[in-house]
Amino acid sequence: MRTLLVVLFDAVQSLDVTGPVEVFAGAEICRPGTYRVVTASLDGAPVRTSSGLTLVPDHALAYAPAPHTLIVPGGQGTRSPEPRLMDWLRQHAPRADRLVSICTGAILLARAGLLDGRRATTHWAYCDTLARNHPEIAVDPDPIYVRDGRVVTSAGVTSGIDLALALIEEDLGRDTALTVARHLVVFLRRPGNQAQFSAQLAAQTAHRAPLREVQQWISEHPADDLSVEALATRCRLSPRHFARSFRAETGLSPGRYVDRVRLEHARRLLEDTGDGIQEISRASGYGTPEAMRRAFLKALGAAPAEYRRRFRPAITAD
């Protein structure tokens, strides 16, 4: 039996806790005797989550059982953590066989020095802050979770569910993970390197109206000519001025933004329609199935057909 210890603190994100807990509890129901999930706060007192829910821990951290897997959730409480909690993490986290953070729980691990020299991720909105405050960490803002040896970090909120399912598949096999996923009505497993946010979320919204309109145009017309020259013409700017202004206001080059929009458009068509790969590649601006395949493999680590198999909901007859 693997003991999983979830650390609780005031202003924790409730879903960072309950998501993985429900997944591992489901695995225990499927395979009794495999997981023991316990929760603990600093002094054993109830904690109030950022959404106002109250969670009652099983133990005080000082009396919690030694964990196989230590799970550190995120939330607003990671901004000014209790010094005694940080001391506990520095002392006890290195002893766990597997150390996991959910969302901004990575910030606590980073402050405790537990991510030094490692590759890690966190919620997309905090990746820049994590990288700036801890240059010794190789922060990757794109994946929904990252594994570096015994340390696993995940992105925002629901990615903790994806990560928990992946760990169950690693521990107990695909059949058990699939049973749990079906019971929770979630996908078995998004690949860890799947992008954690949309193209529109990844980029800032431009301040100037012409650039905002171009962003909208790109999203609505992914199959059109979206070269720098064509987009610059829409803005009535020179290509050089347009490219420089677009990057300054959105944080991405026009080409990179177009790539992300086209990928997102193709993903949605694969998930929501029965259109063929060739039709989707044209509609998304790739032109050919091979070009779309290369883009998917580079960004997601899965070919379009495999992506559809994983993520298109099953359709049953009434």
Side-chain angles (χ1 to χ4, degrees):
M1 177 177 286
R2 297 172 175 85
T3 297
L4 284 74
L5 175 60
V6 184
V7 177
L8 303 183
F9 47 86
D10 283 324
V12 69
Q13 162 65 249
S14 58
L15 193 55
D16 286 2
V17 176
T18 59
V21 165
E22 289 291 346
V23 173
F24 286 111
E28 172 61 18
I29 292 173
C30 294
R31 298 271 297 273
T34 53
Y35 292 116
R36 176 192 179 196
V37 181
V38 297
T39 58
S41 66
L42 196 57
D43 297 314
V47 302
R48 189 172 180 82
T49 70
S50 57
S51 60
L53 296 175
T54 297
L55 301 178
V56 181
D58 299 309
H59 304 279
L61 282 172
Y63 301 104
H68 170 275
T69 301
L70 178 63
I71 300 176
V72 181
Q76 296 176 8
T78 62
R79 297 175 183 175
S80 300
E82 165 67 49
R84 290 186 298 146
L85 175 60
M86 299 308 301
D87 289 341
W88 187 92
L89 286 173
R90 291 186 187 96
Q91 181 179 355
H92 294 276
R95 303 176 186 176
D97 292 287
R98 194 161 56 196
L99 179 59
V100 173
S101 69
I102 311 298
C103 194
T104 53
I107 292 176
L108 297 183
L109 299 189
R111 288 182 175 179
L114 299 166
L115 298 181
D116 290 359
R118 294 185 182 275
R119 179 170 166 259
T121 193
T122 187
H123 189 290
W124 64 267
Y126 296 91
C127 283
D128 285 347
T129 301
L130 182 63
R132 183 171 58 253
N133 293 341
H134 300 277
E136 64 279 5
I137 302 171
V139 179
D140 190 339
D142 289 330
I144 57 171
Y145 57 83
V146 169
R147 181 158 197 165
D148 188 331
R150 54 179 284 276
V151 179
V152 195
T153 53
S154 67
V157 194
T158 58
S159 62
I161 294 174
D162 296 289
L163 174 54
L165 286 168
L167 294 178
I168 288 171
E169 184 174 3
E170 175 185 308
D171 293 343
L172 306 177
R174 180 180 176 85
D175 288 346
T176 300
L178 181 58
T179 299
V180 175
R182 285 173 173 166
H183 179 73
L184 295 176
V185 198
V186 296
F187 293 115
L188 168 58
R189 179 167 56 93
R190 289 186 287 172
N193 62 343
Q194 181 169 327
Q196 59 170 294
F197 41 71
S198 70
Q200 285 70 30
L201 284 177
Q204 305 167 35
T205 300
H207 297 297
R208 285 181 282 177
L211 294 177
R212 289 199 304 272
E213 291 168 3
V214 162
Q215 285 183 283
Q216 186 66 27
W217 171 265
I218 293 171
S219 298
E220 294 175 353
H221 302 85
D224 282 22
D225 178 3
L226 301 180
S227 64
V228 169
E229 291 75 16
L231 296 175
T233 298
R234 296 193 65 83
C235 286
R236 298 180 181 178
L237 297 172
S238 70
R240 183 176 180 181
H241 187 192
F242 166 74
R244 184 170 60 248
S245 299
F246 191 94
R247 180 188 287 274
E249 295 201 20
T250 69
L252 293 172
S253 69
R256 181 62 172 154
Y257 187 82
V258 168
D259 288 345
R260 290 190 175 187
V261 168
R262 284 176 167 162
L263 182 70
E264 184 176 344
H265 186 264
R267 285 168 52 190
R268 288 176 176 171
L269 291 179
L270 288 168
E271 293 170 7
D272 299 335
T273 77
D275 295 348
I277 299 297
Q278 185 167 356
E279 184 178 356
I280 291 174
S281 67
R282 289 197 300 266
S284 301
Y286 290 110
T288 67
E290 180 56 30
M292 186 169 78
R293 182 177 182 275
R294 288 196 300 268
F296 267 65
L297 288 173
K298 180 179 178 180
L300 305 176
E306 172 64 10
Y307 182 91
R308 168 170 273 173
R309 187 186 69 78
R310 291 180 181 180
F311 303 117
R312 187 182 178 197
I315 300 176
T316 58
D318 291 334

